[in-house]
């Protein structure tokens, strides 16, 4: 389960390192690192281990895909496999970087079965003014 938050930056070649705390959970059943990026809600980028993503995709019914063809088109067309270099860095897909409004500063947060990568300024705008106590109550905490 992913939890926590990290502030970091893209390098000059639009590469990032998934924080090591998170990276160890991005492995498949075979024990190999295998994960993908896709467009998330609220203009963030989601990261999920490929095995988990495959389960998520398999759980989407054919009826749901056909009834919501725009959502299905946007979701499936936004999935990109991550390819790390020898130093463990990965390039963010340019289309997802643009959608998320990422320039340099990013926030990576754990969100249960997935990670979310946000443009730092967008993340802080999203949570600004939120009544944290009321939101915790909604979660039953």
């Amino acid at each position: 389960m992913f939890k926590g938050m990290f502030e970091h930056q893209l390098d000059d070649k639009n590469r990032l390192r998934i924080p090591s705390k998170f990276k160890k959970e991005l492995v498949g059943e075979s024990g190999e690192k295998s994960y993908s990026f896709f467009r998330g809600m609220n203009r963030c980028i989601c990261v999920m281990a490929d095995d988990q993503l495959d389960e998520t995709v398999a759980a989407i019914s054919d009826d749901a895909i056909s009834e919501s063809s725009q959502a299905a088109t946007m979701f499936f067309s936004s999935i990109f496999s991550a390819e790390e270099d020898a130093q463990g860095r990965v390039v963010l897909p340019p289309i997802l970087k643009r959608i998320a409004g990422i320039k340099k500063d990013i926030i990576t947060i754990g969100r249960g079965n997935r990670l979310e990568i946000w443009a730092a300024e967008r993340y802080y705008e999203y949570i600004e003014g939120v009544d944290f106590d009321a939101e915790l109550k909604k979660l039953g905490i």
Side-chain angles (χ1 to χ4, degrees), residues 28-88:
E29 291 179 17
S30 65
E32 290 189 31
K33 207 173 352 173
S34 177
Y35 58 98
S36 295
F37 297 105
F38 59 94
R39 182 179 182 169
M41 293 188 291
N42 301 307
R43 296 179 67 187
C44 72
I45 299 171
C46 291
V47 183
M48 199 179 269
D50 285 337
D51 288 351
Q52 180 69 44
L53 181 57
D54 290 345
E55 289 177 22
T56 300
V57 168
I60 302 172
S61 72
D62 289 338
D63 288 341
I65 290 171
S66 63
E67 287 181 27
S68 180
S69 60
Q70 288 178 320
T73 297
M74 291 187 320
F75 172 66
F76 286 103
S77 67
S78 76
I79 299 172
F80 296 90
S81 293
E83 295 181 20
E84 291 186 1
D85 65 13
Q87 287 78 39

Side-chain angles (χ1 to χ4, degrees), residues 5-8 105-109 116-120 123-124:
M5 177 179 114
F6 290 87
E7 296 178 309
H8 47 128
D105 296 322
I106 56 177
I107 304 285
T108 300
I109 64 169
E116 291 182 351
I117 300 172
W118 291 72
Y123 175 76
Y124 288 117

Side-chain angles (χ1 to χ4, degrees), residues 9-39:
Q9 294 182 328
L10 294 179
D11 68 13
D12 293 336
K13 296 181 180 177
N14 293 320
R15 297 175 299 194
L16 75 132
R17 292 180 199 271
I18 300 291
S20 59
K21 175 184 176 181
F22 293 146
K23 192 180 279 193
K24 64 184 176 186
E25 296 193 42
L26 290 173
V27 295
E29 291 179 17
S30 65
E32 290 189 31
K33 207 173 352 173
S34 177
Y35 58 98
S36 295
F37 297 105
F38 59 94
R39 182 179 182 169

